[in-house]
Amino acid sequence: MAQDSVLSDELLHHLMAVGQVDVLVGVPTLNNASTIRPVVRAVHQAFSRYFPRDRTLLINSDGGSDDGTPGMVRNASVDDTDTVTVSHTLRTMHRISTPYHGVPGKGNALRQIMTAAELTQARAVAVLNADVTGITPEGVAALVRPVRDQQFDYVAPVYQRHPLEGPLVTQLVRPLMRAAYGWQVREPVAPEFGCSNRFVTHCLEQDVWDSELGRVGIDLWVTGEALAKGFKSCQAGLSPHPATSTRTPFGELFGQVVDSAFACLERHAPYWLNRNGSEPMLLASPPPSAPVERPVVDGTRLTEAFAKDVENLQSVLEYILSGETLANLEALAAKQPERLRYPDALWVSTVYDVLLAYRAGVMRRDHIVQVLAPLYLGRTGSFLRQYATSPEAEIDEALENLCREFERSKPDLIQRWNSR
Amino acid sequence: MAQMIANAIRQAGTNFVESLALFLPRMVTTLAIIIFGWLIAMLLRTIVRAVAGWLRINVAAERFGVAPLLKTADLPPADALLGAIVFWLVWLGFLLSGIDVLGFTSLQGLLASFWAFVPRLLFAVVILIIGFVVANFAWRATLLAAVNGRVPSPRLLSGAVRWLILILTGAMALEQIAVARTVVLTAFAIAFGALSLAVAIAFGIGGGGIAKRILEHQFPEQPRSSADEISHL
């Protein structure tokens, strides 16, 4: 029934010709001509090196690229990929590139890939990000193996990267999701993941696909859904965190990620309101050991405007933050930018206050999320400057302390959540 | 002569008694209408406040930014204000009905004028409410966009947007209830035109550098702000 609307007749014929598969790798694309070749190559190398006896399918779901991306996927030379393989596949490696229908966005692409996976009864599914250059065959295999060989339902990636990288993940999404869901998942917003056919079927039955969350926050939702619905989950190490070739402007990115995180928490509230503390997630395979570079970031520049931003937003903040949090924030903003230290406890209460305001709908939700952006920049700038020269272990410890602070404050969040 | 004066006084007395006999029942009726109207108006105010509370009007007013404006204007909360509007409209209607019963020639037609005025007044109130909501939404959206986009003077910019919409709304509301229509329209046209001209001249003459900086800031060749210089994910 769902397949009728998601899969075109042509795609349906292709899939029927392919038949059942063991491993399916999906790659959603939209104008990724500059990066798609290495991704296809890595997938084929993974198929021939690590799954030579399996029936495999690479499916590219394209959102209407006008730079020839689908053609590149279709015409990617197999010789090209085989030149460096040490073993050869014993079965045909199928490859399909197809457009998806509906509103552009990863949600529709993922829905098509999952529908195809369900139809072909794929035992293990991996979804990759076409917008990266660092994906390796080992990375693809790391996402597939725990599902194929160890009966895991969901595999989240763990990137090898410096702890000062990805502050939106380390300062906000990771500790928030960890405290809420009670699982220590390192990369909840990762665009890559592996999953079982059982999880695919479950996801397709949910009503998320036509929502805003399905359009822009499907990566977060998939992680949250796996954790909240009790699917057997683990993590797998990937190569150093791949740099994306295109970068969404900060404001848009922040809005999408934070709005999706809050929307996920709202959807999964019945689960996480009853959880306390957090449990580690099994690491099925560690990330390859390679040196990671310390990012060159200037935290001072991020904190320069903090005091002015708090002053400008005061009349909006008073509707969102509790009196105590606002007073502490104003006291913090009164300090010199170079002496700004945004404490963990204040950051946690800021995030939780904003989350509660989002839930209560004290104003338009996109406005609530936008209010958090300058505060996040202040916190991030403060953290980056404080640990600019610290060793990785010390930064990791500080990030762990932040996660624990989120967990410590959770009972208060639950109480206020239930009282609204 | 004395007889004539006595007759006139008697006649006047008779007329007074007859008028009083005619007026007193009307007066009693008027008082009854006014008291009954007051009771009805009170009842309706209570009902409206209860319904508004049930519909969480105050929460909506907070959400759409009407509540802070009411607070600034020293007005009661939204539910109480709605109740008060209904109370005064209903009671004023009864009051005028009561006065109409008295039969004063000079007050004849007042009731009809009042009821003709009520729809326009209600429409003006609706215009004001929508204006408040739109003005506040635009204010907040402008403020947030300006702060996050690192535009100079975000509060001044957003405040200007809000007051512009409020003034426009106020002029529309006054025009609707036809209060000094010509004066309002002329004053608004002059003030708005003068303001636009002043801003244009000031910006053109003195703000060339600022305009350049804003445009360079808005359309940079490199990342737009420090926030865009790092990879957040």
Side-chain angles (χ1 to χ4, degrees):
Chain A
M1 184 174 61
Q3 291 164 3
D4 292 344
S5 56
V6 178
L7 304 181
S8 64
D9 288 347
E10 190 187 353
L11 177 58
L12 211 54
H13 285 130
H14 280 306
L15 293 172
M16 286 166 72
V18 170
Q20 280 191 3
V21 298
D22 299 306
V23 177
L24 182 147
V25 173
V27 185
T29 56
L30 180 62
N31 294 324
N32 299 111
S34 60
T35 52
I36 193 65
R37 277 183 197 279
V39 176
V40 174
R41 190 177 303 137
V43 173
H44 276 287
Q45 287 178 355
F47 285 167
S48 55
R49 274 188 207 172
Y50 301 108
F51 313 108
R53 293 174 184 278
D54 286 2
R55 295 163 293 181
T56 56
L57 169 63
L58 164 63
I59 181 163
N60 161 231
S61 182
D62 188 75
S65 300
D66 53 14
D67 63 350
T69 302
M72 287 182 171
V73 174
R74 271 192 295 268
N75 302 323
S77 163
V78 175
D79 292 341
D80 206 25
T81 64
D82 285 345
T83 49
V84 287
T85 55
V86 291
S87 60
H88 294 277
T89 179
L90 303 174
R91 292 187 184 252
T92 309
M93 291 188 291
H94 297 282
R95 183 170 33 175
I96 298 173
S97 179
T98 177
Y100 64 80
H101 303 287
V103 183
K106 191 175 175 186
N108 274 332
L110 191 59
R111 189 181 195 181
Q112 191 183 49
I113 290 167
M114 285 189 160
T115 309
E118 191 184 42
L119 190 73
T120 55
Q121 297 173 18
R123 282 167 52 205
V125 179
V127 176
L128 302 180
N129 183 12
D131 195 25
V132 297
T133 51
I135 191 76
T136 60
E138 290 70 30
V140 178
L143 291 174
V144 172
R145 276 177 168 158
V147 179
R148 177 178 168 273
D149 304 334
Q150 295 169 270
Q151 282 72 53
F152 278 97
D153 287 307
Y154 176 73
V155 186
V158 171
Y159 306 125
Q160 192 197 20
R161 60 171 167 173
H162 194 276
L164 287 181
E165 265 189 30
L168 186 52
V169 176
T170 58
Q171 298 295 321
L172 181 51
V173 186
R174 183 192 296 165
L176 180 64
M177 298 288 277
R178 168 175 155 173
Y181 289 84
W183 291 100
Q184 294 170 12
V185 56
R186 282 185 67 84
E187 303 289 349
V189 208
E192 302 95 352
F193 66 92
C195 67
S196 67
N197 197 277
R198 194 169 79 93
F199 184 62
V200 162
T201 305
H202 169 82
C203 287
L204 289 172
E205 287 167 355
Q206 307 309 307
D207 63 353
V208 72
W209 301 102
D210 295 321
S211 67
E212 184 67 8
L213 180 61
R215 200 175 68 77
V216 296
I218 199 70
D219 298 325
L220 254 167
W221 176 80
V222 166
T223 309
E225 191 69 11
L227 300 177
K229 299 297 163 67
F231 285 93
K232 193 181 169 193
S233 303
C234 70
Q235 300 181 101
L238 296 192
S239 45
H241 183 247
T244 54
S245 62
T246 55
R247 190 179 284 175
T248 312
F250 167 71
E252 193 182 333
L253 175 81
F254 185 86
Q256 287 178 1
V257 171
V258 176
D259 188 57
S260 302
F262 286 177
C264 275
L265 290 181
E266 205 168 33
R267 285 180 82 99
H268 295 138
Y271 167 77
W272 65 259
L273 286 172
N274 296 312
R275 266 187 84 84
N276 279 316
S278 68
E279 295 174 48
M281 271 176 84
L282 179 83
L283 187 63
S285 57
S289 55
V292 287
E293 284 182 24
R294 177 182 286 270
V296 184
V297 286
D298 183 6
T300 311
R301 288 203 59 198
L302 295 178
T303 54
E304 273 170 1
F306 180 74
K308 202 74 189 162
D309 288 347
V310 171
E311 187 189 345
N312 284 326
L313 292 174
Q314 206 264 347
S315 49
V316 183
L317 286 170
E318 62 191 20
Y319 286 97
I320 293 174
L321 301 180
S322 65
E324 189 187 349
T325 307
L326 183 58
N328 289 335
L329 206 57
E330 284 169 344
L332 184 69
K335 292 180 180 170
Q336 294 295 317
E338 59 272 15
R339 294 181 61 193
L340 183 75
R341 288 279 184 277
Y342 203 136
D344 286 357
L346 180 57
W347 173 236
V348 173
S349 62
T350 305
V351 173
Y352 281 171
D353 281 358
V354 174
L355 172 62
L356 289 165
Y358 180 93
R359 195 214 169 199
V362 298
M363 60 182 71
R364 272 179 64 99
R365 287 182 157 185
D366 55 334
H367 287 179
I368 296 172
V369 171
Q370 282 180 54
V371 166
L372 188 59
L375 307 183
Y376 156 78
L377 290 178
R379 160 70 194 187
T380 299
S382 147
F383 188 89
L384 291 177
R385 216 186 43 241
Q386 190 176 351
Y387 294 97
T389 55
S390 305
E392 281 184 44
E394 192 182 327
I395 305 169
D396 279 330
E397 193 185 336
L399 293 176
E400 177 63 21
N401 287 340
L402 176 64
C403 289
R404 290 201 185 120
E405 188 63 43
F406 267 85
E407 287 177 21
R408 258 196 299 276
S409 302
K410 190 180 167 186
D412 180 50
L413 169 72
I414 292 173
Q415 190 189 1
R416 291 165 67 195
W417 182 284
N418 286 329
S419 67
R420 292 213 177 200
Chain B
M1 179 69 179
Q3 186 61 40
M4 280 175 69
I5 291 170
N7 284 343
I9 290 171
R10 196 179 305 115
Q11 187 59 47
T14 309
N15 287 346
F16 175 73
V17 171
E18 281 176 358
S19 297
L20 199 65
L22 278 172
F23 181 73
L24 269 181
R26 285 181 184 170
M27 188 67 195
V28 171
T29 310
T30 299
L31 283 175
I33 288 172
I34 290 171
I35 292 168
F36 180 70
W38 186 80
L39 289 172
I40 293 289
M42 286 288 280
L43 182 68
L44 283 175
R45 180 168 71 176
T46 309
I47 291 171
V48 166
R49 285 192 69 164
V51 171
W54 181 69
L55 292 173
R56 295 163 65 88
I57 292 287
N58 284 350
V59 177
E62 288 277 357
R63 185 173 180 179
F64 292 110
V66 178
L69 290 173
L70 294 177
K71 202 174 169 184
T72 308
D74 222 11
L75 289 168
D79 61 340
L81 186 66
L82 268 179
I85 289 171
V86 169
F87 171 83
W88 281 105
L89 278 177
V90 172
W91 195 51
L92 215 57
F94 276 98
L95 199 69
L96 291 172
S97 299
I99 291 170
D100 205 42
V101 171
L102 292 175
F104 295 135
T105 319
S106 57
L107 296 178
Q108 290 289 317
L110 200 64
L111 186 64
S113 304
F114 173 74
W115 287 121
F117 176 70
V118 165
R120 294 209 308 272
L121 181 69
L122 287 177
F123 197 58
V125 169
V126 170
I127 288 174
L128 278 179
I129 291 172
I130 292 172
F132 274 130
V133 172
V134 171
N136 209 57
F137 173 80
W139 162 74
R140 204 164 50 219
T142 310
L143 180 66
L144 289 167
V147 167
N148 285 317
R150 298 276 167 260
V151 175
S153 306
R155 275 188 295 174
L156 181 70
L157 190 69
S158 55
V161 168
R162 170 150 73 178
W163 280 107
L164 200 67
I165 296 172
L166 284 177
I167 290 168
L168 182 69
T169 307
M172 285 168 68
L174 286 174
E175 202 269 340
Q176 188 60 37
I177 55 175
V179 171
R181 184 175 284 176
T182 316
V183 175
V184 168
L185 280 177
T186 311
F188 179 75
I190 291 171
F192 191 73
L195 185 71
S196 304
L197 188 66
V199 169
I201 290 171
F203 202 73
I205 293 173
I210 297 171
K212 184 170 177 284
R213 281 207 303 277
I214 291 174
L215 288 171
E216 281 174 352
H217 189 81
Q218 285 300 306
F219 305 103
E221 290 177 4
Q222 292 305 313
R224 298 196 316 173
S225 68
S226 52
D228 282 317
E229 288 169 7
I230 62 173
S231 173
H232 291 270
L233 281 181

